[in-house]
Amino acid sequence: MTRTAFFISDGTGITAESLGRSLLAQFSNVEIAMITKPYVDTLDKARELLKVIEATAARDGHRPLIIDTIVDQGIRDVIRQAPGFKADIFSTFLEPLEQELNTHSSYSVGRTHSIGSEDVYMDRIHSVHFALDNDDGARTHQYDQADIILVGVSRCGKTPTSLYLALQFGIRAANYPLTEDDQDEDGVLKLPKSLAPHRHKLFGLTIDPRRLAAIRHERRPNSRYSSMDQCMQEVEQAESLYRTMNIPSIDTTRFSVEEISTRMIAETGLARRFSPR
């Protein structure tokens, strides 16, 4: 018997997913397909998700499990219409799940980490190695193996995001810095030749020039590299390139690496090899 569990959030979904996986890991004799739905933050998104849950219930022949951390009451009201077993409060999860799944919890500590742990560990290691080997445009010949290639100006968050995607989700992320070397003779930023064959994998990062200047100042104070004029010019050119080449992008200024990564996954539909533990 296979059941489907939805981890739903109007934020990153990391809390709902981590909590849900920890709880469902106690039921080792039930096969559970787990689906994470982050940023369900509008009524339209909630209604679309409602349709997905209804279709899942019809397909499985069993009502899905729904674990959410949604705050907005209007969105919660929509999700409550779904034909599923709903769990909202951690302290009340285990006993209702025992009744719903018709089995006793093992009450084992750390069951989440034991599910496919060796495969997950190796995937994590390989993905992190890939991110390190392909950091900052180091090995462009490996881009055919990448799941995604992050592009952006220096110090906009490419490296930490690549490593987080690798460590938390097993996504093979490369990153390439857009620099003056990629400008044409007129000083216009062009798509580098090494990226052109992989255009469908590109995802742009941008940042507020003031924030960028502050970050760069910590590394190279009072330099042209950290000057406001230089930061403004680089950001403007990068954003122009994204628009011209229709490259999806995100502004990293006010987002944590967790938020950047999960928003990127939500927008691109990237497949996770595993989920955060």
Side-chain angles (χ1 to χ4, degrees), residues 18-246:
S18 298
L19 179 57
R21 284 182 174 273
S22 296
L23 290 166
L24 295 176
Q26 307 297 321
F27 303 96
S28 56
N29 59 331
V30 180
E31 184 177 352
I32 302 176
M34 304 182 190
I35 300 173
T36 302
K37 293 292 185 180
Y39 299 110
V40 182
D41 50 10
T42 68
L43 291 176
D44 286 342
K45 290 180 182 179
R47 294 185 187 109
E48 286 299 314
L49 180 55
L50 175 59
K51 295 177 183 177
V52 172
I53 296 173
E54 290 172 341
T56 301
R59 181 200 66 201
D60 291 351
H62 298 284
R63 58 181 184 161
L65 313 173
I66 300 172
I67 298 173
D68 75 83
T69 55
I70 292 174
V71 175
D72 185 272
Q73 189 59 49
I75 295 173
R76 289 174 65 86
D77 289 342
V78 173
I79 299 301
R80 282 199 184 110
Q81 300 172 36
F85 168 78
K86 303 169 187 70
D88 299 320
I89 302 173
F90 181 79
S91 62
T92 64
F93 275 179
L94 284 179
E95 185 176 346
L97 281 170
E98 287 177 330
Q99 297 173 7
E100 177 65 19
L101 298 173
N102 195 30
T103 185
H104 290 291
S105 166
S106 64
Y107 292 95
S108 300
V109 177
R111 292 289 299 193
T112 302
H113 298 280
S114 69
I115 299 177
S117 57
E118 180 135 5
D119 290 342
V120 167
Y121 177 77
M122 292 309 298
D123 265 337
R124 178 176 284 115
I125 292 299
H126 291 323
S127 298
V128 170
H129 281 171
F130 184 88
L132 292 172
D133 287 343
N134 292 275
D135 183 44
D136 229 18
R139 297 187 179 182
T140 59
H141 67 277
Q142 293 185 346
Y143 283 175
D144 59 327
Q145 303 171 38
D147 297 318
I148 192 169
I149 303 170
L150 309 185
V151 294
V153 300
S154 172
R155 310 303 287 181
C156 69
K158 299 184 302 299
T159 295
T161 302
S162 297
L163 287 171
Y164 186 85
L165 287 168
L167 186 63
Q168 293 295 324
F169 305 113
I171 291 172
R172 287 164 173 70
N175 74 78
Y176 185 98
L178 299 173
T179 69
E180 293 178 342
D181 292 338
D182 300 310
Q183 295 177 355
D184 62 18
E185 57 186 14
D186 296 321
V188 177
L189 186 65
K190 297 296 183 181
L191 188 68
K193 292 181 179 179
S194 59
L195 297 181
H198 312 285
R199 183 172 163 182
H200 62 290
K201 296 182 180 182
L202 302 183
F203 197 99
L205 301 186
T206 188
I207 188 171
D208 185 279
R210 290 167 295 184
R211 174 62 177 155
L212 180 61
I215 293 171
R216 288 182 173 185
H217 183 75
E218 293 179 1
R219 188 176 185 184
R220 298 182 195 171
N222 303 316
S223 64
R224 175 173 176 268
Y225 171 75
S226 63
S227 70
M228 190 63 193
D229 286 345
Q230 180 68 19
C231 291
M232 288 181 64
Q233 180 183 352
E234 289 186 34
V235 170
E236 287 174 0
Q237 290 219 350
E239 291 180 349
S240 176
L241 178 67
Y242 302 157
R243 290 190 297 269
T244 301
M245 304 302 296
N246 199 27

